[in-house]
Amino acid sequence: MAVSDLVLGCMYFGTKTDERTSMALLDRFVEAGGTTLDTADCYAFWASETGAGGQSEALLGEWLRRNPGVRDEVVLATKVGPEPVVPGDPSRVVGLAPDVVRRSIVASRERLGVDVVDLYWAHLEDRSVPLEDVVATFGELVADGQVARLGISNHPTWRVERANALAAAAGTEPFTALQLTTSYVRPRPDTEVPGKDHRFGFVTDETVDHVTENPGLDLWIYSPLVQGSYDRADRPFPEPYDHPGTTRRLAVLHEVAGELGARPGQVVLAWLLGGRPAMRPIVGVSSPEQLDEALAAAALELDPDQRARLDAAR
């Protein structure tokens, strides 16, 4: 495992996290060996006075302008889909219609100040658009040089497989990255988790099997630390996580953390990074201290016994 396996989540850069702090975090991440930055064109409309997104992309663009040469050192990932049609009203979003995607990538590239986005995500499902059209449109972005690689987020496994079958049949670019959420502890099945409103946003056993059998598909994990619930008493796990499996897993997690002299959240990141399949956690931080903890987690080594104990707890 290495720092370059971590992804720096930039969701609140330019809104909740001010410009000075955001720039410092970006500098620190790259200096430590980090390479991958994850954002979206809708970030963070809910934290913006305008009710529209784009602030995170704009801040990243300004950081790149202030640091000539750093563009070659980083991988820029951004997304399209959930931006509200009416600013501030998330009940209706722009979705994945071909004209929306074509227009959105141009706007994202302008805010980022780049010719090419390294990884472009279909951020959510849009079943109002035929999947064939989604595949064709995203493939066009690669063919015309605006995007280097494609990702798909918050989609069920069968739709990911179908999309890539369509891409293969059409001879166009497939989706080679999948972004979902999971963590060491998981909520009860068939429960609604506050703040997680994507029906197919969670990793399942089927997801793990699919990624394992398709090694060309990378798995990225958002919210891997459940908003700090492992390490902060003021941020308890949401109610759907309250079940015996969580109790048993947390007990083993704290044992291993004590053995390593690490925080539980750091062990969770190490567990994700070193698993089979490996999962790339997206770490959202708002201070240098939080970033340093995440960076240290990338160097944390779980021995076979520790990993086996963590895996076996149910």
Side-chain angles (χ1 to χ4, degrees):
M1 297 181 294
V3 169
S4 57
D5 295 320
L6 290 174
V7 179
L8 182 61
C10 304
M11 178 185 290
Y12 288 118
F13 288 8
T15 48
K16 287 186 176 181
T17 306
D18 62 41
E19 178 181 289
R20 181 177 179 181
T21 303
S22 300
M23 297 280 185
L25 292 171
L26 289 163
D27 290 343
R28 198 180 191 99
F29 182 68
V30 172
E31 288 167 1
T35 58
T36 308
L37 310 174
D38 185 75
T39 187
D41 66 356
C42 68
Y43 293 161
F45 73 82
W46 58 92
S48 167
E49 294 178 356
T50 68
Q55 294 82 13
S56 176
E57 288 182 332
L59 185 135
L60 285 170
E62 179 60 26
W63 175 72
L64 290 171
R65 283 187 286 274
R66 294 184 189 181
N67 294 273
V70 77
R71 175 67 186 99
D72 294 334
E73 300 177 25
V74 297
V75 174
L76 291 175
T78 193
K79 314 181 191 75
V80 60
E83 175 74 356
V85 173
V86 177
D89 179 7
S91 64
R92 183 166 163 246
V93 299
V94 298
L96 299 178
D99 61 327
V100 170
V101 173
R102 295 186 186 109
R103 182 172 65 247
S104 297
I105 187 58
V106 171
S108 288
R109 286 173 44 238
E110 289 177 350
R111 283 189 290 266
L112 290 164
V114 300
D115 295 326
V116 181
V117 168
D118 300 307
L119 177 54
Y120 198 47
W121 298 90
H123 201 163
L124 46 59
E125 272 199 284
D126 184 355
R127 296 196 186 183
S128 71
V129 180
L131 192 56
E132 293 86 347
D133 292 350
V134 174
V135 169
T137 304
F138 275 78
E140 288 171 10
L141 301 183
V142 176
D144 65 19
Q146 296 189 75
V147 171
R149 186 183 172 202
L150 302 176
I152 192 165
S153 179
N154 299 313
H155 283 63
T157 305
W158 73 268
R159 294 270 287 181
V160 177
E161 176 67 12
R162 180 171 293 181
N164 281 342
L166 290 167
T172 193
E173 187 74 15
F175 293 97
T176 57
L178 173 62
Q179 187 173 147
L180 301 167
T181 188
T182 193
S183 189
Y184 179 61
V185 299
R186 294 180 288 270
R188 299 187 306 275
D190 302 319
T191 55
E192 291 188 10
V193 179
K196 299 293 184 292
D197 54 358
H198 296 292
R199 180 182 177 189
F200 299 106
F202 279 86
V203 169
T204 66
D205 187 50
E206 185 178 22
T207 310
V208 172
D209 183 58
H210 182 67
V211 173
T212 301
E213 294 297 318
N214 292 274
L217 184 65
D218 294 339
L219 183 55
W220 292 27
I221 303 301
Y222 64 84
S223 302
L225 299 181
V226 197
Q227 287 72 49
S229 296
Y230 290 100
D231 298 321
R232 292 183 55 171
D234 62 327
R235 292 192 177 182
F237 286 97
E239 192 278 334
Y241 289 83
D242 184 11
H243 57 85
T246 292
T247 302
R248 289 190 285 268
R249 285 210 140 194
L250 288 178
V252 175
L253 179 66
H254 281 267
E255 287 177 6
V256 172
E259 292 164 8
L260 294 170
R263 291 169 69 90
Q266 290 177 305
V267 176
V268 171
L269 295 178
W271 178 79
L272 290 168
L273 284 165
R276 296 291 182 272
M279 303 184 192
R280 296 190 70 184
I282 302 170
V283 293
V285 299
S286 58
S287 71
E289 293 76 21
Q290 290 176 343
L291 178 57
D292 287 346
E293 285 189 7
L295 295 172
L300 204 60
E301 292 290 342
L302 302 176
D303 67 34
D305 173 70
Q306 290 168 333
R307 180 166 292 280
R309 286 154 53 203
L310 289 166
D311 289 346
R314 291 286 189 273

